[in-house]
Amino acid sequence: MIETLRTAMLLRHLCANVRRDPVILAAEQDRLLRHTVEHAWRHVPFYRRYWLDAGFDPKKFGGLADLERIPIVSRATLDPAARAGELLATGVDREQCTWLDTTGTGGMPLRIYKQRREERVRRAVGLRIWLEHGFSWRDATVDFQRDAGPSHPLQRFGIAPKEFILCDVPAEQRLSRFLAMKPAVVVGTATALRRIARDVQRAGVAVRRPRVVFCAGEYADTFTRRLVKSVFGTEPVGVYGQSEVGYIGWQCEQRGAFHLNADTHLVEVRRDGRAARPGELGRLIVTDLYARTMPFLRYDAGDLAIAGGETCSCGRTLPVVQSMEGRVSGVLVAADGRPVTACAVVEALCEHILLEDVQVVQHATGEIELVVVETAATQDNIAAIVAALEQLLGRSAVVSTKPQWASPRDWKTRSVVSHFFTARDSGDR
Ligand SMILES: [Zn+2]
């Protein structure tokens, strides 16, 4: 009960921050950042060692204006430290922590430990996004997830009922459970949303229009957006997060730029060793302002974004990035050397073929393999797919077909795979 009250108080504060004067928000960020740095320096062996080696002296740290002096860390640096237990704050009892494992797309799976306060922040940050989209406590939610998430004690009393639908549920059960919930809120990756939308289409059933459909964990391409809109009557809202640090950004009702949870996470878009200018592609660097059990400061998870301008026309003052552009490991290199993000490739393909039926793989510059599942529809469309890829990448793709795809066991579709793109090429750090 006390925990619920604390979450409610934090949530109230975070909701007010959505339209807070930027000067006041900056003061809050500054205070939280100083605490975070001091805590990491005093209590987390990894940061003490890493910062000493890098010549960063936290005693001379000047707060928010000094953010760029903190050395950036990547998974390659963090993984061995995490395995050695150096990333946990001293004195933390793992038995008393909650944890979740990252999926491992950024390297080996990493176990993220959290304590009660961090769970509270994570919950409040998520709830704020829901509330900004009109969520009411009576709303039922269907959440398409890899693993079932935690349930809240209040759900037993019919408050915010929630059903997790996991990826191994057979299609007919998936649809019947979805329909039985009559969800006002639907959460899923683009893959999950496409599947349930097509289930509904195939069954020819009427569904109640949800209040909001959130697309989280995958880029929402034009085809998926249109399909969801036509089946559910509302266009999906993009939400971006990382397993390591939780929700970072979300679209408002404009469904354009992503508002950042700047009061809980400092988010930078970096390119060529400087802040990216509005409209420029760069690497996303995140500092979690509340993580204490396992802090993440200036963390580069290997994701890309396009830097945004100052504000959004909706009136919310939380800063924005223009778009989330997927993983560095999905970036292809065009014939002229340009990096092309996985999102751009998906966008070029999505109107011609089901994204589940295609994979574009780059082995080296000029060596792009297009693998499609052999169906009547894909065979008819191969010329159009190749033309779309050539327009984007400027070189003919090698086409190969496979009779059958290993059906994805996850709610994610990996349509673009790059085997050689490196951090060096992305205009990084
Ligand atoms: Zn907005």
Side-chain angles (χ1 to χ4, degrees), residues 360-377:
V360 179
V361 187
Q362 185 160 32
H363 302 282
T365 311
E367 262 187 56
I368 288 167
E369 187 185 15
L370 171 67
V371 189
V372 294
V373 176
E374 231 169 46
T375 67

Side-chain angles (χ1 to χ4, degrees), residues 358-372 382 385-387 389-390 393-402:
V358 65
Q359 196 162 63
V360 179
V361 187
Q362 185 160 32
H363 302 282
T365 311
E367 262 187 56
I368 288 167
E369 187 185 15
L370 171 67
V371 189
V372 294
I382 279 189
I385 300 164
V386 171
L389 276 182
E390 283 185 353
L393 297 162
R395 190 165 299 185
S396 40
V398 183
V399 179
S400 61
T401 54
K402 280 192 179 171

Side-chain angles (χ1 to χ4, degrees), residues 83-343:
R83 278 197 294 276
E86 273 192 316
L87 204 52
L88 273 186
T90 47
V92 167
D93 177 3
R94 287 175 212 231
E95 299 296 315
Q96 300 298 313
C97 294
T98 51
W99 52 264
L100 69 87
D101 288 332
T102 65
T103 51
T105 46
M108 295 285 286
L110 180 64
R111 181 156 291 188
I112 312 297
Y113 289 95
K114 294 191 294 292
Q115 294 179 88
R116 195 180 289 166
R117 178 171 176 265
E118 291 146 333
E119 289 287 4
R120 187 193 312 147
V121 174
R122 194 173 280 226
R123 201 158 40 236
V125 164
L127 276 170
R128 169 167 72 179
I129 303 171
W130 269 226
L131 289 171
E132 286 295 311
H133 283 277
F135 177 73
S136 128
W137 300 106
R138 287 186 301 276
D139 284 347
T141 298
V142 166
D143 195 341
F144 293 93
Q145 283 289 346
R146 191 167 51 107
D147 306 301
S151 66
H152 195 276
L154 290 175
Q155 286 171 347
R156 269 180 287 159
F157 304 103
I159 297 173
K162 189 174 199 174
E163 168 113 354
F164 289 101
I165 299 184
L166 309 187
C167 42
D168 52 5
V169 171
E172 59 279 10
Q173 275 186 37
R174 186 163 76 201
L175 180 62
S176 58
R177 283 169 58 181
F178 181 85
L179 295 173
M181 276 301 274
K182 298 189 177 66
V185 180
V186 180
V187 189
T189 59
T191 301
L193 297 178
R194 275 197 303 277
R195 279 189 203 156
I196 193 66
R198 294 218 304 273
D199 290 346
V200 171
Q201 269 184 335
R202 271 196 291 264
V205 289
V207 282
R208 195 181 80 166
R209 178 186 163 149
R211 188 194 297 281
V212 60
V213 176
F214 290 113
C215 182
E218 252 184 349
Y219 169 71
D221 59 279
T222 304
F223 173 84
T224 305
R225 284 180 172 275
R226 206 174 47 233
L227 177 70
V228 168
K229 175 107 195 266
S230 78
V231 173
F232 296 116
T234 180
E235 201 183 318
V237 167
V239 178
Y240 171 84
Q242 295 171 357
S243 315
E244 296 89 327
V245 297
Y247 286 127
I248 294 168
W250 43 279
Q251 288 180 316
C252 61
E253 56 285 341
Q254 316 256 4
R255 293 169 174 78
F258 280 69
H259 286 277
L260 298 168
N261 292 325
D263 46 357
T264 55
H265 299 80
L266 291 180
V267 179
E268 306 163 73
V269 183
R270 306 277 304 171
R271 180 189 182 91
D272 304 331
R274 59 169 172 82
R277 290 185 271 271
E280 278 185 340
L281 180 71
R283 297 178 78 107
L284 206 64
I285 310 293
V286 181
T287 301
D288 187 329
L289 293 171
Y290 280 91
R292 296 290 181 271
T293 308
M294 200 163 159
F296 286 89
L297 288 101
R298 296 203 86 207
Y299 173 53
D300 176 355
D303 278 352
L304 297 167
I306 292 179
E310 285 300 302
T311 53
C312 173
S313 58
C314 69
R316 294 177 180 87
T317 50
L318 286 176
V320 293
V321 296
Q322 194 171 307
S323 63
M324 299 299 179
E325 291 289 321
R327 301 198 67 80
V328 173
S329 57
V331 170
L332 305 187
V333 179
D336 60 4
R338 261 178 315 117
V340 177
T341 66
C343 296

Side-chain angles (χ1 to χ4, degrees), residues 1-11 116-117 119-121 123-124 152-154:
M1 194 62 192
I2 289 174
E3 198 48 34
T4 305
L5 280 174
R6 283 183 172 152
T7 307
M9 280 167 64
L10 175 64
L11 182 58
R116 195 180 289 166
R117 178 171 176 265
E119 289 287 4
R120 187 193 312 147
V121 174
R123 201 158 40 236
H152 195 276
L154 290 175

